[in-house]
Amino acid sequence: MKMPFRARQAVGKVRRLFLVHFRKSYVAEQATLLAGECNRCGNCCEILFKCPFLVKQDDGFSVCSIYENRPLQCNAFPIDERCLADVNFDCTFSFEKEPAFVPDPSNPLLRIESD
C-alpha cells in the first residue's frame, strides 16, 4: 500500500532532520552528487506547511528572511533523490551518479548559495 502524499511529506521532514543531525557524512557525500541550482520558487519551503520565514516576492521568486541563519535541513535540501520524490513539483536540482568534486572533510556540510 502506498503512503498518502501528506504522510510521505511528514516522514520526509523527520528523515531530513535526522540526516542533517545524525548522518552528516551521508549528507556531505550526497552534496557531491547534487547538480543544478535553486530556481527560488519556494516550493521546498512549503512542504507539509508554509515556512513562516518564506517571503514571496511580486516577481514570483521567493526569499528566505532568515537565509544566513536557516536550519540545517533547509540549508541541505535536497539531500538526495528521495527528497525530490517527496515533493509535488519540478525541482531544478538533480543528482549525478559520480561526484562533481571531493568534499573537504573538515566541513561536513556544503553550504549552497544563491544569487
Side-chain angles (χ1 to χ4, degrees):
M1 183 174 144
K2 189 173 181 180
M3 188 183 307
F5 183 67
R6 300 286 285 171
R8 195 170 71 233
Q9 285 185 319
V11 169
K13 276 198 176 280
V14 172
R15 178 179 172 271
R16 284 185 293 280
L17 182 67
F18 173 82
L19 289 174
V20 298
H21 289 285
F22 301 107
R23 299 280 317 275
K24 293 177 182 179
S25 61
Y26 174 78
V27 174
E29 178 185 319
Q30 288 300 115
T32 67
L33 304 174
L34 187 63
E37 60 183 54
C38 181
N39 64 3
R40 295 180 48 206
C41 68
N43 290 332
C44 58
C45 301
E46 295 181 4
I47 297 173
L48 199 57
F49 59 87
K50 182 183 180 286
C51 177
F53 302 108
L54 179 68
V55 178
K56 293 274 190 172
Q57 298 178 320
D58 292 336
D59 61 5
F61 291 112
S62 298
V63 176
C64 175
S65 63
I66 61 165
Y67 186 82
E68 294 301 322
N69 298 306
R70 68 194 183 278
L72 290 175
Q73 63 268 28
C74 297
N75 189 33
F77 187 89
I79 295 172
D80 54 23
E81 287 188 4
R82 191 165 163 190
C83 293
L84 297 178
D86 287 347
V87 295
N88 195 21
F89 62 90
D90 292 326
C91 185
T92 54
F93 283 112
S94 62
F95 288 87
E96 304 291 335
K97 300 295 183 206
E98 297 289 325
F101 65 95
V102 177
D104 177 359
S106 66
N107 185 9
L109 289 179
L110 172 69
R111 183 174 188 120
I112 300 171
E113 300 288 335
S114 65
D115 295 333

